[in-house]
Amino acid sequence: MRELLQLALDFFAPTAGQTAGASPAPLPENFRRSRPLELTDKAPEATETIAITGPDLLPGATSDWAGMAVFRHPQARRELRLGTVLVGYALVRSRRRTIGFTVGAEGLSVRAPHAVPLTGIDAALQEKADWIVRKLVETRARAARQNLARIVWQHGTVLPLLGEQFCVCLVPGASVSGVFLEQSAEAKAQLQLGLPPTASADQLRDATAAWLGRRARQHFTARLDYFAPRMGVQWTRLALTNARTRWGSARSDGTIRLNWRLMHFTPDVLDYVVVHELAHLRFMDHSAQFWATVEAELPHYRALRARLQAETSPVWRED
């Protein structure tokens, strides 16, 4: 019943901009004393085609009227203007004590306590308007790049490997597990798979993933063995993952988990991820000591981290 009452109150509350000159309602005192606003930049798990319909629009936005850039969540029930951008956000009420913002592929989601009025939520959004708009632009632009990076699985598909490109080819008589031919002056590198010409896209993708996983294990093992003694740590087990939003992790027992899709990036970017996870074997946080450990091994780690965040790896499957 409380949730239904809250929904009705939110629905009939005036939208930001309808009461020109009115001051936002103050936040409850217990909210003012709570923790700071939580900001989350969630990597998109799904992508969409982004329409840009005007020369002055921000990247990744659509246009509704007067050329204004619009970012509207599919479950948006409230909209407000943040600078020159119109943002429609999804709102979830809960018993939490703070307002939390999450920017994902679909747009802006807001989680707020029942006690905070909509005008108070809008005021909090205005306070963080620059961050929200920047993350909306970055997230939609990244989703657009990923949409262009979707793989069409067929004979002749081209993929990146350690920063170089190779061609996936169906070659009758070749090993089903794959034969890799290095690039030559005459031809691009090839992964020859002994699958029939009638092989489905799923069969081609799975065979390529299996080969790339074996290649990743060899590469990661070699780099872990190289960096661990230099950093004074010892890893115990390597596990390969295919997570959508996480490149690696480390556990205190020495287990290192790395995403095999990192093999699409250049070797120096992979080294950054390896060093990052090994550093967690000394500091299980992101403290100043942790980053000093990373920097001691890779003085230019900031540039490598920026590349990892900015570059797009191929999208292997739709689901």
Side-chain angles (χ1 to χ4, degrees):
M1 179 62 70
R2 181 177 180 178
E3 286 75 11
L4 291 176
L5 178 60
Q6 185 69 64
L7 181 63
L9 291 173
D10 288 350
F11 182 81
F12 289 107
T15 301
Q18 287 183 342
T19 55
S23 300
L27 300 180
E29 284 302 316
N30 64 343
F31 176 77
R32 289 180 182 275
R33 291 194 295 268
S34 63
R35 298 187 304 274
L37 300 176
E38 296 179 7
L39 307 178
T40 303
D41 177 22
K42 185 171 65 175
E45 297 184 0
T47 60
E48 56 185 305
T49 301
I50 307 301
I52 301 178
T53 57
D56 299 325
L57 293 180
L58 293 172
T62 56
S63 175
D64 272 10
W65 54 273
M68 175 176 284
V70 178
F71 293 87
R72 184 177 289 112
H73 194 286
Q75 281 77 52
R77 290 188 291 109
R78 188 167 179 82
E79 296 181 348
L80 76 161
R81 181 169 177 167
L82 299 180
T84 60
V85 174
L86 184 66
V87 177
Y89 63 89
L91 175 61
V92 177
R93 293 286 191 172
S94 68
R95 295 180 179 179
R96 59 182 293 128
R97 294 177 56 83
T98 62
I99 296 177
F101 304 145
T102 299
V103 177
E106 292 185 320
L108 174 64
S109 299
V110 179
R111 303 176 309 283
H114 294 285
V116 180
L118 287 174
T119 49
I121 296 174
D122 288 347
L125 291 171
Q126 294 290 353
E127 179 184 346
K128 299 297 181 181
D130 290 344
W131 182 91
I132 292 170
V133 172
R134 176 167 55 85
K135 290 302 179 182
L136 284 170
V137 171
E138 292 175 355
T139 302
R140 288 292 183 87
R142 183 167 60 233
R145 292 196 303 271
Q146 285 190 329
N147 191 59
L148 295 175
R150 293 187 182 278
I151 303 171
V152 178
W153 289 104
Q154 60 188 12
H155 172 74
T157 292
V158 176
L159 296 173
L161 174 67
L162 297 177
E164 303 293 336
Q165 290 189 329
F166 72 100
C167 179
V168 180
C169 301
L170 297 175
V171 179
S175 171
V176 175
S177 61
V179 176
F180 189 74
L181 303 180
E182 300 288 345
Q183 184 171 348
S184 66
E186 295 77 23
K188 183 179 298 183
Q190 286 188 10
L191 171 60
Q192 297 184 350
L193 297 173
L195 298 175
T198 56
S200 67
D202 287 348
Q203 289 175 309
L204 183 57
R205 181 198 63 221
D206 292 345
T208 304
W211 175 85
L212 192 58
R214 292 190 295 272
R215 182 80 175 242
R217 182 171 294 278
Q218 295 173 355
H219 183 89
F220 292 149
T221 298
R223 301 313 287 166
L224 287 167
D225 285 342
Y226 173 78
F227 283 111
R230 294 166 57 95
M231 299 172 65
V233 297
Q234 183 175 0
W235 64 281
T236 59
R237 187 172 75 92
L238 169 64
L240 298 181
T241 73
N242 188 29
R244 290 179 179 270
T245 61
R246 196 170 193 177
W247 291 122
S249 63
R251 295 177 54 179
S252 57
D253 64 1
T255 298
I256 302 293
R257 300 174 64 87
L258 295 171
N259 195 315
W260 56 262
R261 292 186 295 111
L262 282 165
M263 292 294 287
H264 293 308
F265 295 94
T266 56
D268 55 348
V269 172
L270 269 67
D271 281 351
Y272 161 71
V273 180
V274 168
V275 169
H276 184 112
E277 301 310 332
L278 287 175
H280 276 311
L281 299 184
R282 294 184 60 188
F283 305 100
M284 299 299 287
D285 55 27
H286 289 106
S287 62
Q289 290 176 306
F290 168 85
W291 289 115
T293 301
V294 175
E295 188 172 23
E297 198 60 45
L298 297 174
H300 58 302
Y301 81 89
R302 292 181 180 83
L304 297 175
R305 181 177 60 179
R307 284 170 51 192
L308 179 64
Q309 294 171 343
E311 296 175 6
T312 303
S313 66
V315 179
W316 276 66
R317 56 191 309 155
E318 298 295 327
D319 55 358

